[in-house]
Amino acid sequence: MFWDKKKNYTKRDASEFNCWRAFFQVLVCKFFYMIRYKFVYRLEVHGLENVPKDNEYIVCPNHLSTLDPPLICGVLPRRVSFMAKKELFDIPFLRWWIDWLGAFAVNRESLGPSTIKTVMNIKKSKWVFGIFPQGTRGDVGVITGVTKGFAGLAKITKCAVLPVGIIGTQEVKRLPFSGKIIVNIGKPIPYSDNPEEVVEKWIDAIQKLTGFEYIEKVGEKVLGVGDE
């Protein structure tokens, strides 16, 4: 049954990234959502020429709102499978919806073997894997909460990292031309055996693509660039 709560949504075989899920994602993201983005938010996309022709890369945007995943799926030429926190798959209709959009469940506290296997299976398909390095939605104007998990997965899959800067999705707009969304796609960060180097390059790229400032959190304290 397509509502089956017992299904393990952390596991995805390459065959599940098929024409039916691709069609559903195109219909929802490239048609319905893109009408809203262009008509209400006056969407601008820059840097599409930087997107690799193959699928040997991981899509890594900054994160401002729930509009971000369908935005990226609508903008990029390939279908994108995003990680989604496992709690979302406990909600019946939402579980079906994001399942068919190609998302898979993940425990954000620990990336288990099933997550790694799913990411490898995505690479075997014609899709690309997408992950928000911040883990959760951030504040406008700053980049915080960056984890190293995306760089570790890039190392395991031997993939480049595609930095994508998103500006303007944090405000929900409904009136025509009342909002503004800008998507800036940077040049791919080449594969590296050094995850920390990839993290640093992604932070640098996102700062340039968004104009936001990276702020490191240490416990409850927030450290700016000039702090000690």
Side-chain angles (χ1 to χ4, degrees):
M1 185 176 178
F2 64 89
W3 298 97
D4 191 2
K5 187 176 180 179
K6 296 181 179 179
K7 179 179 176 180
N8 188 343
Y9 289 95
T10 63
K11 293 182 179 180
R12 279 281 186 270
D13 188 77
S15 62
E16 294 185 70
F17 298 99
N18 51 42
C19 61
W20 299 111
R21 277 192 171 87
F23 174 77
F24 189 74
Q25 188 176 108
V26 168
L27 181 66
V28 172
C29 299
K30 283 190 172 292
F31 183 69
F32 291 110
Y33 269 101
M34 288 302 281
I35 290 176
R36 178 183 179 187
Y37 293 139
K38 292 181 178 180
F39 187 65
V40 176
Y41 289 94
R42 298 174 295 159
L43 172 65
E44 290 184 11
V45 180
H46 306 281
L48 277 171
E49 67 277 4
N50 293 325
V51 180
K53 302 301 181 184
D54 56 28
N55 70 336
E56 301 287 314
Y57 63 95
I58 294 176
V59 182
C60 297
N62 63 304
H63 198 11
L64 294 174
S65 83
T66 55
L67 291 177
D68 297 338
L71 172 65
I72 296 301
C73 293
V75 165
L76 293 183
R78 285 182 181 268
R79 308 288 67 74
V80 185
S81 174
F82 273 103
M83 279 184 175
K85 60 182 181 180
K86 63 180 183 179
E87 291 80 7
L88 296 179
F89 287 84
D90 293 332
I91 306 170
F93 177 78
L94 183 59
R95 174 169 63 245
W96 172 84
W97 181 259
I98 59 179
D99 174 21
W100 270 92
L101 284 174
F104 64 99
V106 64
N107 181 351
R108 294 192 298 186
E109 302 298 323
S110 176
L111 299 181
S114 60
T115 299
I116 296 172
K117 187 174 181 180
T118 294
V119 174
M120 294 296 293
N121 285 335
I122 293 170
K123 186 179 178 182
K124 294 176 184 177
S125 71
K126 294 182 179 180
W127 292 47
V128 291
F129 168 56
I131 181 174
F132 294 103
Q134 291 170 269
T136 187
R137 283 170 280 176
D139 297 325
V140 179
V142 295
I143 301 295
T144 59
V146 179
T147 64
K148 298 179 182 179
F150 77 101
L153 289 171
K155 178 181 178 180
I156 292 171
T157 58
K158 299 187 183 302
C159 281
V161 166
L162 184 69
V164 182
I166 301 174
I167 305 168
T169 57
Q170 73 281 355
E171 295 185 31
V172 176
K173 303 289 186 178
R174 294 180 176 84
L175 296 177
F177 309 113
S178 58
K180 183 72 172 180
I181 292 177
I182 299 175
V183 176
N184 292 320
I185 303 170
K187 293 183 179 180
I189 300 168
Y191 163 77
S192 172
D193 283 327
N194 186 346
E196 291 187 359
E197 179 185 2
V198 173
V199 172
E200 291 177 1
K201 288 183 176 180
W202 182 84
I203 291 172
D204 183 58
I206 292 298
Q207 288 186 105
K208 293 176 181 177
L209 293 169
T210 61
F212 296 174
E213 179 186 6
Y214 173 64
I215 298 179
E216 183 178 359
K217 288 185 177 180
V218 180
E220 294 300 320
K221 184 180 179 181
V222 177
L223 296 182
V225 176
D227 294 331
E228 295 182 358

